[in-house]
């Protein structure tokens, strides 16, 4: 399943956090992201679906450590 590209503001809304913090993380992760210009807005998506799967597995591991 291919994820839709999202702007930083959209990602911030989805995960209920500050847009500025999302932008900082995205800057550090540029090598793992595909950027797409839609109108005047930069949209981000993960470069490969296997990386998305790996991230989801890390989240599951982290949630098991901290109930």
């Amino acid at each position: 399943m291919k994820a839709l590209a999202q702007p930083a503001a959209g990602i911030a809304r989805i995960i209920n956090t500050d847009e500025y913090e999302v932008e900082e993380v995205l800057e550090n992760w540029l090598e793992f992201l595909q950027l797409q210009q839609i109108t005047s807005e930069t949209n981000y998506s993960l470069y490969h679906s296997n990386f998305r799967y790996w991230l989801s597995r890390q989240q599951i591991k982290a949630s098991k450590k901290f109930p």
Side-chain angles (χ1 to χ4, degrees):
M1 175 168 78
K2 184 173 175 142
L4 298 174
Q6 293 285 326
I11 296 169
R13 278 191 302 274
I14 291 168
I15 62 174
N16 195 30
T17 195
D18 183 66
E19 182 179 346
Y20 179 76
E21 291 179 25
V22 170
E23 289 173 352
E24 284 186 342
V25 171
L26 292 173
E27 279 294 316
N28 291 322
W29 283 45
L30 284 178
E31 64 192 89
F32 304 108
L33 302 172
Q34 290 183 329
L35 281 62
Q36 181 182 15
Q37 284 299 121
I38 299 176
T39 61
S40 63
E41 196 167 53
T42 302
N43 288 258
Y44 303 88
S45 60
L46 292 173
Y47 182 71
H48 196 275
S49 62
N50 285 342
F51 186 58
R52 188 169 41 252
Y53 174 75
W54 181 83
L55 284 174
S56 71
R57 300 299 305 158
Q58 299 310 303
Q59 183 179 12
I60 290 168
K61 288 179 188 176
S63 68
K64 287 182 180 178
K65 290 181 184 176
F66 304 103

